[in-house]
Amino acid sequence: MSQLASQLPSLMMVTCSMTGDKPLFAQLAASIDDHISKPIRHLVVVPSGDVASFSEFANPWRMIVAQDEFLPWHLIRLPTALGRLAPVFTRLRRPLYLTSRFQPVRGWIVQQLLKLEIARQATESAVMHVDSDVMFYRDLTAVDVFPCGRPAYFSVPGNYRTDTSIAWTRNAALALGIDAPDAFGTIYVENCVPWSAAVVRRMLAHIEATHGRRFQDVLVGMDTVSEYHMYGMYLDLIEGHGAVAHVQQSFCNSLWPGDDPEKYLDLLAARSNSQHFAIAVQSTEAIALDQRRILLEQARVRLEQ
């Protein structure tokens, strides 16, 4: 990846995508071109075979890069034909990989490795992870992501616990070398999540010092990983918040699996607040592109009211 000039505050947006999400990504790219200030670069990381397909979105502010640039050499991607089984085996929606020891690694885990390594290499002060199913409707600048001059850190303390979040907490604690907190229910997962690049570098150095091996080798053997839980628990339980600005409001108004599709407009309106810059409807939700555009336009209309 070419080195980008460092600024204070400086921000890079990062999207890990693939051909299957290209129609959604097109909407994201158009919304970023409309609403994100031009000094903010947009790094788009896709499988090497998808670079040519995504090249139409490249511009002076958006770079399309093969994910191989950020992955360990010993991760081998299996044939894409396995993706045809995704409707039956949802874990195969993303590509499957093998390590040099023939250990299978889900594409979900690989995406977490990518996000972490990209942030570690970033020359910007912060990176904001933006998935393909996000759409911006309000202008955003780097200054918006740096309250009090420090990178925003999103988390909401509480008692949110599901089987999935419990597994994420357990594995994040394992990676960080700490005991898993009892009844830990802080919310870390959202869309448009910014990270301090310096904090990520310190966190990964901590993981590697704790385990005596590369962080990628620590994570590939796990059944599930949440990069957001790992980052949040590192700040909350190890480093503290001195390098970040804690916020409890997301930059994105998100709709999640389980929300009633018939009530999406009402839900977005009810959850909308002045801190939101984007909306997101999970890519796994069966909602057509034109319906997503309607949600986006409604968000813009509410902003003008």
Side-chain angles (χ1 to χ4, degrees):
M1 182 183 73
S2 61
Q3 295 297 303
L4 304 177
S6 182
Q7 305 172 41
L8 290 176
S10 56
L11 174 69
M12 177 171 66
M13 290 190 165
V14 177
T15 302
C16 297
S17 195
M18 59 183 180
T19 294
D21 286 339
K22 186 177 176 182
L24 295 177
F25 177 83
Q27 290 185 332
L28 166 66
S31 73
I32 285 179
D33 292 343
D34 288 342
H35 294 289
I36 306 305
S37 69
K38 292 302 182 284
I40 298 176
R41 304 284 185 142
H42 185 199
L43 181 68
V44 182
V45 184
V46 298
S48 56
D50 294 346
V51 170
S53 175
F54 275 75
S55 63
E56 66 182 276
F57 301 109
N59 60 36
W61 310 103
R62 180 176 297 115
M63 299 164 291
I64 313 298
V65 179
Q67 63 185 30
D68 294 349
E69 292 195 24
F70 301 100
L71 290 176
W73 65 268
H74 61 279
L75 273 181
I76 304 168
R77 183 179 175 179
L78 293 180
T80 55
L82 287 174
R84 296 171 185 170
L85 298 175
V88 179
F89 302 101
T90 55
R91 288 193 170 195
L92 292 180
R93 181 176 174 271
R94 297 190 178 276
L96 189 68
Y97 292 74
L98 285 179
T99 68
S100 57
R101 297 182 178 180
F102 301 101
Q103 177 185 20
V105 183
R106 291 169 49 210
W108 169 261
I109 303 294
V110 169
Q111 181 165 292
Q112 319 314 307
L113 301 183
L114 283 169
K115 290 180 176 180
L116 291 164
E117 182 60 30
I118 291 166
R120 174 155 74 172
Q121 293 188 28
T123 58
E124 288 77 11
S125 307
V127 299
M128 175 181 278
H129 295 293
V130 182
D131 290 339
S132 296
D133 46 22
V134 170
M135 296 175 287
F136 285 88
Y137 65 89
R138 181 179 164 208
D139 294 349
L140 179 139
T141 70
V143 173
D144 294 315
V145 186
F146 287 77
C148 305
R150 291 172 291 169
Y153 159 55
F154 169 79
S155 72
V156 182
N159 297 307
Y160 179 78
R161 286 169 61 81
T162 65
D163 290 344
T164 299
S165 70
I166 291 170
W168 286 340
T169 298
R170 179 190 66 237
N171 286 347
L174 179 63
L176 294 170
I178 60 177
D179 293 332
D182 292 334
F184 195 74
T186 299
I187 296 174
Y188 298 113
V189 177
E190 246 300 349
N191 292 292
C192 303
V193 174
W195 284 349
S196 161
V199 168
V200 171
R201 285 190 282 272
R202 292 193 291 270
M203 178 186 73
L204 296 182
H206 170 86
I207 292 172
E208 293 179 342
T210 298
H211 294 271
R213 51 191 172 134
R214 294 176 303 181
F215 82 89
Q216 296 97 331
D217 296 331
V218 174
L219 300 183
V220 293
M222 295 183 174
D223 55 345
T224 187
V225 171
S226 167
E227 73 283 32
Y228 300 135
H229 273 67
M230 202 177 312
Y231 179 83
M233 289 171 61
Y234 174 76
L235 283 170
D236 285 349
L237 304 177
I238 296 177
E239 179 174 309
H241 298 169
V244 296
H246 184 211
V247 298
Q248 296 191 34
Q249 191 60 247
S250 169
F251 290 89
C252 187
N253 189 356
S254 301
L255 295 169
W256 301 99
D259 287 334
D260 186 349
E262 299 297 324
K263 298 180 180 179
Y264 275 172
L265 283 173
D266 293 338
L267 288 171
L268 279 174
R271 297 172 183 175
S272 179
N273 67 67
S274 61
Q275 300 302 309
H276 289 146
F277 290 83
I279 63 171
V281 181
Q282 294 296 290
S283 59
T284 53
E285 294 295 287
I287 175 171
L289 291 175
D290 59 343
Q291 291 299 112
R292 290 173 183 266
R293 281 191 286 270
I294 290 172
L295 294 174
L296 180 63
E297 290 306 316
Q298 287 295 319
R300 286 173 174 157
V301 169
R302 286 194 299 275
L303 180 65
E304 295 172 356
Q305 291 176 344

